[in-house]
Amino acid sequence: MSGGQTTFQERIAQGLKNSYRRRVMGSTQNRMRANRDQVFAEWGNLEEWRERAREIRQHTIEHLDAYLEAFANAVRRAGGQVHFAADKESANRYILEVAQRHGVRTVVKSKSMVSEELEVNQALLGAGITPYETDLGEFIVQLAGERPYHIVGPAIHKTREEIRQLFSELAGEELPSDARALTAFARQWLRDKFFAAEMGISGCNFGVAQSGAVVLVSNEGNARLTTTLPKVHVVVMGMERLVPTWEDLDVMVSLLTRYATGQKIISYLTVIQGPRAVGHQDGPEELHVVIVDNGRSQLLGTRYQEALHCIRCGNCSNVCPVFRHIGGHAYGGVYNGPIGAVLSPLMAKGTERRQWMELAYASSLCGACTDACPVKIPLHDYLVQLRHDAAREGLAPWGERLLSTLFGWSTAQPALYEMGQAVIRQMAGWSGSAGFGWGPLGAWTQYRDLPQTPAQTFRQWWKSRAEEGAHGRE
Amino acid sequence: MKAALFVTCLADLFYPEVGQSVVEVLERLGVEVSFPLRQTCCGQVSYNSGYQQDSIRAAKHFVEVFEAEVEGGADVVIPSGSCAAMIRIHYPELLEGEPEWHRRLLNLRAHVFEFSEYVANKVGVERLRQLSPALAAKAAYHRSCHMSRQLGVAEEPLKVLSCIDGLELVPFFQEDACCGFGGTFAVKMPQISLAMGEEKIRHLKDSGAELFLTSDMGCCMHLGGQASRLGVNLPFKHVAQVLVEGVQAK
């Protein structure tokens, strides 16, 4: 994962500058929220569902080693092959080996955030293999040469006109700006790719440990084609994506579809258990399941372990007021929004961690994300904790450190505290002009007026009142 | 009934009228109010910036100053949902490693209340109604995130405000969205903070309200300061202030 050449502040400025996109994102968030509110109202007992889901995730992650073993064994029993990939390099090496063994020239892919994380497409291209994204949103961002803007809606930031231009370029003719016509074009253009591809790569929403089943949740039918037409199917999955049983899957899928898209039921729930069996009509000849760590195990046994409970519904981004204004690309990583701000530094390798720590400051700590999480990950508490880690690791500016120390002392020393009050009163009194003042005060007055400094502080008023009262009693 | 006022750093320094209003409302409700002069700040600024060790000093000082008040039969009343959340939710985490301090804090914690929570749940709105406050105004109430989400106190301020005869609370779009203050967030990420503030100011103004109410002066300082810089008239008041006005106007 890498933010590229730009700094976080530059990406924030870029995001904020795009007022059209901000308006679109705002209305998208509003619409998604309205849909979800309605679905939840019909459903009822939302808090019980969330608590049950949290328990399932907690139990699974606490016993992840055992469930991984059970899952891998079950996949093998069903005729699949399993590869545990410690990192991105190991995963891509394995995928390329399989591809080369089968003389693969083109690959069709259904939506997978893990494959974004692994940069599988780049690895394939490097080996002369052409990958085609077949999820409509992923197809659009692939053509645009961008990263997904949102975990669930990779291209929600693209206008119809932008999509029309991308598709027209591909078609070699001007396409009409009609949504139906544009999707029809994508469908038709991709159809041949499905038939030609020798390999299909999919993600995995859930792996059922009990049976070794890979479960995919999708709305476009492309996942079905990706996983059945090519002769080789490679699943890339995060190592935390397991549920113990079918009953647990029921709970998790019920929450995922409602939280991700506000749907009571998804269009396609695909369950894959092994490759094509003898006597079966369809399915791939080979099934490979690549189980990816890539930094995930760094969270195990830490206070951040619950971040592994995430089921990638993207709802934290849907309610986040910061995401609303800066957009998904400002985060700079594969995962964005509140969960991205948490996962990016925690999954990063060695010194890469440093560059992701600043994401934790891009939050007003309003807690909307934590409330909106189907599995109750304490997202905003984690952001505070990450700031604590940053301070401890010396990543925060020394001036800030000094101010906090002084402030800390003054909160325990009333005399010092009152002196501090006098200083701030004095400075605030002078700061009639914009941008006046040092440090945080200057940063405040640059954009906002300070309230007028009152004649007395409250404590001065209280003291004088008490004195008057005492005189009155005399 | 006895209440020890923890006025908060912002009200002490910039909005003393909020503290004065709390004193007046509580006294009119028959509550004996004290103000321990050794009190300082809850330390949330350090906590949210990642300097937990600095906020531990604030937490211990708070315990030292207020436990005597509570032992003397008083509740601690705070005109800020955010500071109340800091004390009730985060102090226990901060002092977890020090059993003696933790025990002292827990003795105290059940007696710590946000202002409207105290009025609604401890004093009771019936007592407030007896004062028959009245104020003809169209008002929008801005709920702070820390108060409604962390502290879980969302209905109480509305309950308290509903006692004011003639005060019409108007709804507005995205009532529960953050205003963009976020403590040090406002100065560390000013552009994002301002973008959020701008949207909130627009929604508040679109409500048609002439008066804007809150339980957290941090939100008020940010929104009011931004509105003032933009030349937008956004008169903010704390819940305690309109109660006093309502009682005086009677």
Side-chain angles (χ1 to χ4, degrees), chain A residues 137-154:
Chain A
E138 290 285 348
F139 180 55
I140 294 165
V141 292
Q142 187 186 25
L143 289 177
E146 292 176 10
R147 280 230 173 100
Y149 191 80
H150 180 282
I151 292 174
V152 172

Side-chain angles (χ1 to χ4, degrees), chain A residues 11 83 94 137 139 158-159 162 175 208 230 235 250 262 271 321 351 353 395 403 406 416 419 427 452:
Chain A
R11 296 194 302 272
H83 174 70
Y94 181 84
F139 180 55
K158 288 282 180 215
T159 62
E162 286 174 289
L175 295 174
V208 184
V235 177
D250 178 16
V271 177
T351 52
R353 170 184 167 84
L395 300 178
L403 266 185
L406 285 173
L416 192 61
M419 270 169 58
M427 283 171 60
Q452 221 172 9

Side-chain angles (χ1 to χ4, degrees), chain B residues 22-36:
Chain B
V22 171
V23 173
E24 178 156 0
V25 171
L26 293 182
E27 286 182 347
R28 281 182 186 246
L29 288 168
V31 178
E32 189 188 317
V33 183
S34 65
F35 179 79

Side-chain angles (χ1 to χ4, degrees), chain A residues 10-73:
Chain A
E10 286 166 355
R11 296 194 302 272
I12 289 172
Q14 260 168 21
L16 289 171
K17 222 168 51 197
N18 197 332
S19 53
Y20 177 78
R21 193 168 285 175
R22 275 168 67 188
R23 254 202 326 278
V24 171
M25 198 54 234
S27 54
T28 305
Q29 277 196 342
N30 300 344
R31 200 177 50 246
M32 284 175 149
R33 175 161 171 190
N35 288 348
R36 226 158 263 126
D37 285 350
Q38 199 190 334
V39 168
F40 290 153
E42 285 169 22
W43 205 22
N45 306 323
L46 184 63
E47 287 313 305
E48 284 171 50
W49 281 99
R50 289 177 79 206
E51 181 53 25
R52 181 79 194 103
R54 192 197 64 75
E55 284 167 7
I56 292 170
R57 292 302 290 150
Q58 185 182 344
H59 170 85
T60 310
I61 301 301
E62 276 174 2
H63 303 89
L64 191 59
D65 50 349
Y67 285 120
L68 275 171
E69 198 182 341
F71 176 74
N73 288 338

